[in-house]
Amino acid sequence: MKDVYVLGIETSCDETSCSIVKNGIEEINTVILSQIDIHMLYGGVVPEIASRNHVKDIVFVINKCLKDSNMSIDDIDAIAVTYGPGLVGSLLVGLEAAKTVAYIYDKPLVPVHHIRGHIYANSIGKGMTFPVLALIISGGHTELLYMKDHFDYEVLGSTLDDAVGECYDKVARVIGIPYTGGPMMDKLAHEGKDNYSLPIPMDDDSFNFSFSGLKSAVINLAHNIEQRGEKLVKEDLACSFQNVVVTSLTSKTIRAMEKYNIDNLILAGGVAANKGIREKFDTLSKEKGFNFSYPNIKYCTDNATMIAAAGYYLYKNGNTSDLSLNVESSAKFV
Ligand code: KG4
Ligand code: ZN
């Protein structure tokens, strides 16, 4: 069977990225330019600045990706691009670049939902196994997705308010940890003790999550400590916070696996990089005997490798688009 090479483009937030992936599994080359240092000065992503930087970098990133792979555009079978969700100005830069390349070189254009990309980060180096439960934990999503096959899935539960990554970032800001707070909170959590008492959110029989109450509880706790003139131990608060997040995510996920008789679990999204969450699921998978895997840490946060990987399966399934394709900043996955 002929090998299929997909060139992926991702610009939904503050990373400008291009990647070439073979047969949805093998990464040939990836280029990522992160704008994190620029946005850090503002304490979060500034959409206007993000799109301007994508415009500045996108041609360089695509050219470099091809050049460093020793490939030409003639070797590419399809162009996959994130069409949403994300920042509208940022998405537009990637999409217009992809459409231009597809038009000039007469290549099929494959629209990829950003969350599908995060899920297919699991395909890189190993492929996908079904049925599988995907726990999607990112800056914008918290979902339990039961995937019977590539294109046959149902949402078992999702967050009713904040996404887990959003909660990490907001809590981090309150306790004085700079953007992006998630990775630093994870690091501090491993240095602290579980000394603060925080409520387990949405401790019920559903598969839904809620993180805004936890966020408020941390903010109130931090303010109370400050008012009493006491010292907040950031490491301990990060540890207590992370333990509650891990308990909430693991208890509902395990219950869903048991209820639906699913033997395979994958993590997807930026928060899948979290050491505490990975460690707990690793332990549980050994105890309970299910298969657990997660993407290599470099594929957890935004990158075009995952978009090219997801694009391969969409392309094989005939999910291509004409040049009228537009961005959808709030695109729903299911
Ligand atoms: O998947 P992603 O790029 O966001 C969306 O597509 O929505 O992930 C970014 C999120 C941020 O909220 C960031 O703080 C969080 O992932 N994150 C982490 C860790 N690494 C990244 N959260 C907790 N622990 C980490 N190690
Ligand atoms: Zn993302």
Side-chain angles (χ1 to χ4, degrees):
M1 224 165 51
K2 185 189 167 296
D3 289 327
V4 174
Y5 292 88
V6 175
L7 181 140
I9 295 175
E10 156 67 39
T11 62
S12 66
C13 191
D14 59 344
E15 266 94 21
T16 319
S17 182
C18 179
S19 176
I20 298 168
V21 170
K22 179 176 154 187
N23 299 331
I25 294 181
E26 190 185 324
E27 178 188 21
I28 304 296
N29 186 36
T30 300
V31 178
I32 306 180
L33 283 194
S34 171
Q35 305 173 14
I36 189 160
D37 293 346
I38 302 168
H39 298 286
M40 200 183 257
L41 305 172
Y42 304 93
V45 178
V46 183
E48 172 71 18
I49 295 176
S51 23
R52 279 169 188 262
N53 279 281
H54 286 309
V55 169
K56 179 170 75 59
D57 295 333
I58 189 74
V59 174
F60 167 80
V61 165
I62 296 171
N63 278 336
K64 183 168 169 54
C65 184
L66 281 163
K67 188 162 171 271
D68 293 354
S69 339
N70 289 323
M71 291 179 81
S72 92
I73 197 76
D74 297 335
D75 304 316
I76 301 296
D77 295 285
I79 312 293
V81 62
T82 309
Y83 69 94
L87 302 170
V88 68
S90 293
L91 288 164
L92 274 167
V93 179
L95 183 69
E96 290 308 319
K99 278 160 71 166
T100 306
V101 176
Y103 176 64
I104 294 175
Y105 298 98
D106 196 20
K107 303 284 176 190
L109 180 65
V110 183
V112 181
H113 190 285
H114 185 75
I115 290 302
R116 182 182 289 279
H118 275 303
I119 294 169
Y120 280 80
N122 286 280
S123 174
I124 303 158
K126 42 194 171 184
M128 299 288 283
T129 308
F130 297 101
V132 65
L133 185 68
L135 174 62
I136 301 159
I137 37 179
S138 75
H141 287 77
T142 309
E143 252 156 49
L144 271 173
L145 191 70
Y146 177 18
M147 299 184 78
K148 291 158 214 163
D149 209 332
H150 288 289
F151 302 100
D152 180 8
Y153 39 75
E154 65 179 287
V155 177
L156 301 184
S158 55
T159 182
L160 302 182
D161 39 59
D162 289 1
V164 63
E166 185 184 356
C167 184
Y168 261 97
D169 296 340
K170 287 180 177 165
V171 164
R173 193 179 312 176
V174 167
I175 64 173
I177 294 169
Y179 170 83
T180 58
M184 186 53 108
M185 288 284 287
D186 188 17
K187 185 169 172 286
L188 290 183
H190 284 82
E191 294 163 9
K193 291 198 184 67
D194 191 352
N195 277 339
Y196 292 107
S197 170
L198 293 166
I200 307 280
M202 264 206 98
D203 195 10
D204 64 0
D205 288 343
S206 78
F207 295 118
N208 291 323
F209 301 95
S210 163
F211 291 101
S212 78
L214 175 61
K215 176 188 68 189
S216 304
V218 176
I219 294 172
N220 289 340
L221 184 74
H223 287 162
N224 289 344
I225 292 171
E226 194 181 301
Q227 273 163 3
R228 288 200 300 268
E230 294 169 6
K231 188 178 174 308
L232 177 101
V233 185
K234 287 184 185 174
E235 292 81 358
D236 290 358
L237 188 56
C239 177
S240 300
F241 168 77
Q242 182 144 304
N243 281 352
V244 169
V245 170
V246 169
T247 303
S248 171
L249 293 175
T250 51
S251 63
K252 298 219 168 187
T253 304
I254 299 297
R255 208 155 37 72
M257 293 188 74
E258 286 169 355
K259 176 166 179 196
Y260 291 89
N261 228 336
I262 311 170
D263 286 333
N264 301 301
L265 173 67
I266 54 175
L267 300 183
V271 187
N274 185 278
K275 215 166 141 231
I277 297 171
R278 290 174 175 223
E279 282 169 356
K280 184 68 186 181
F281 275 122
D282 251 330
T283 309
L284 286 166
S285 69
K286 287 182 190 109
E287 259 172 46
K288 296 186 176 283
F290 60 82
N291 303 313
F292 170 53
S293 77
Y294 42 76
N296 182 309
I297 204 144
K298 67 178 173 171
Y299 304 127
C300 284
T301 40
D302 294 348
N303 63 85
T305 331
M306 66 186 198
I307 301 301
Y312 165 80
Y313 297 97
L314 288 161
Y315 172 59
K316 295 284 276 183
N317 197 47
N319 297 73
T320 57
S321 172
D322 62 28
L323 295 174
S324 67
L325 179 66
N326 205 348
V327 299
E328 273 181 62
S329 59
S330 312
K332 287 248 173 300
F333 183 48
V334 187

